[in-house]
Amino acid sequence: MTEETAPYGTGPTTPTTPVKRVRTHHLAQMKERGERITMLTTYDMYTAATFDEAGIDILFVGDSAANNVLGYETTIPVTVDELMPLVRAVAGSVKRALVLADLPFGSYQASPEQAFHTAVRFMKEGGAHAVKVEGGAEIAAQVEKLTTNGVPVMAHIGFTPQSEHALGGYRVQGRGDAAERLREDARAMQAAGAFAVVMEMVPGDIAAEITGELAIPTIGIGAGRDCDGQVLVWTDAFGLRTGRMPRFVKQYADLHGTLLAGARQFADEVRDGTFPGPEHTF
Ligand code: KIV
């Protein structure tokens, strides 16, 4: 059995199973078999390596690095040059996952050529295996230019954070009459050659319908349980970020609490002279 024909989707690699890179056709096979696809954001080498070891299928350097790493309020200001070192760190730290880079606001909307130039930078300089773009029918020409020239593309429809000001803030998309527009966007992205589509903050029944209609996998974030896969922003999912969370977030760990307790203990021990002890001293 060759690497490419071996069965795929058995979860994390172990020392006894050969490491096999997740590729876009594996994701299509997972949809056919009804196996759920897992995707997390990641912005650095340690989380990337950890999530890869956990068997997460797609590791995604989102433009959400803007408000999770770089201290911006929204994703709008982040640039290609700011995201590039993060993509390179992630791509260099994972063995199995498909590494996906987000094209930031303003780096692809102007023309198919602009989109191609930006995507090629992420693949050549960053080592990304695929890119993600936000938008539907209005960016079909960009997606087609990429997919017909060797760049695998994941689309992102529904609530698209880069258009937050145009959409009037964080709101569920595709309710009522807007559902038809959402279906058209999903079809346009599939027709343009996208290998998958993220649906963000979309009613669960509409997301289920689109998932049933499309041949390519759908990945949900606030789009209910019937998508072919799920993505979360890692700092939300593991509790590094605190404060009000969107309803679709489930928190699997309390990293803020763990770090806070550790930092307080370190400070106490330095102040009272407990650290460093003789065992830490040369
Ligand atoms: O940048 C990001 O984190 C995203 C997710 C919301 C999918 O686009």
Side-chain angles (χ1 to χ4, degrees):
M1 201 177 272
T2 67
E3 188 205 313
E4 292 303 320
T5 58
Y8 172 75
T10 48
T13 53
T14 67
T16 53
T17 56
V19 174
K20 206 149 47 70
R21 177 70 70 186
V22 177
R23 297 186 185 273
T24 57
H25 69 272
H26 294 131
L27 304 172
Q29 290 164 2
M30 289 173 79
K31 174 164 180 139
E32 276 165 28
R33 290 199 291 261
E35 272 173 47
R36 296 289 162 99
I37 297 163
T38 54
M39 169 165 154
L40 283 172
T41 69
T42 171
Y43 317 106
D44 71 284
M45 60 184 277
Y46 289 124
T47 57
T50 305
F51 300 159
D52 196 41
E53 191 181 337
I56 303 301
D57 301 307
I58 303 171
L59 291 181
F60 170 47
V61 184
D63 62 358
S64 51
N67 40 332
N68 283 279
V69 176
L70 298 169
Y72 302 143
E73 253 183 49
T74 72
T75 60
I76 291 166
V78 75
T79 65
V80 170
D81 288 337
E82 285 172 315
L83 290 180
M84 195 64 74
L86 313 187
V87 174
R88 203 178 297 125
V90 168
S93 309
V94 310
K95 296 189 172 73
R96 174 182 174 274
L98 183 142
V99 175
L100 179 70
D102 221 359
L103 303 197
F105 184 55
S107 73
Y108 60 95
Q109 289 93 342
S111 66
E113 288 66 33
Q114 187 202 24
F116 186 65
H117 174 73
T118 307
V120 165
R121 280 199 64 194
F122 276 114
M123 293 180 79
K124 287 171 86 103
E125 296 172 40
H129 307 140
V131 301
K132 181 172 82 55
V133 288
E134 294 187 8
E138 74 284 2
I139 57 156
Q142 277 85 335
V143 173
E144 196 173 338
K145 171 81 176 172
L146 298 182
T147 59
T148 53
N149 286 283
V151 181
V153 177
M154 182 180 285
H156 181 158
I157 62 172
F159 178 71
T160 45
Q162 292 176 11
S163 308
E164 137 174 20
H165 298 304
L167 295 173
Y170 273 70
R171 318 155 74 114
V172 175
Q173 304 291 310
R175 281 197 170 127
D177 292 346
E180 190 45 36
R181 169 76 203 269
L182 200 65
R183 289 186 199 99
E184 281 165 14
D185 283 339
R187 288 178 199 131
M189 293 296 90
Q190 173 168 279
F195 70 86
V197 57
V198 167
M199 288 192 279
E200 180 166 355
M201 287 174 66
V202 166
D205 55 340
I206 306 295
E209 211 186 285
I210 291 173
T211 299
E213 182 187 326
L214 292 191
I216 59 173
T218 60
I219 312 285
I221 175 161
R225 57 186 307 163
D226 293 312
C227 294
D228 298 306
Q230 297 290 330
V231 56
L232 283 175
V233 171
W234 89 261
T235 44
D236 295 348
F238 304 118
L240 187 60
R241 185 164 82 88
T242 56
R244 207 163 149 255
M245 290 289 156
R247 172 171 161 183
F248 57 76
V249 172
K250 179 168 176 183
Q251 198 180 313
Y252 291 89
D254 176 21
L255 290 190
H256 171 75
T258 303
L259 288 177
L260 188 63
R264 282 184 173 147
Q265 188 178 346
F266 167 74
D268 287 347
E269 291 188 6
V270 169
R271 287 179 188 128
D272 69 14
T274 317
F275 177 81
E279 69 277 31
H280 306 115
T281 305
F282 297 105

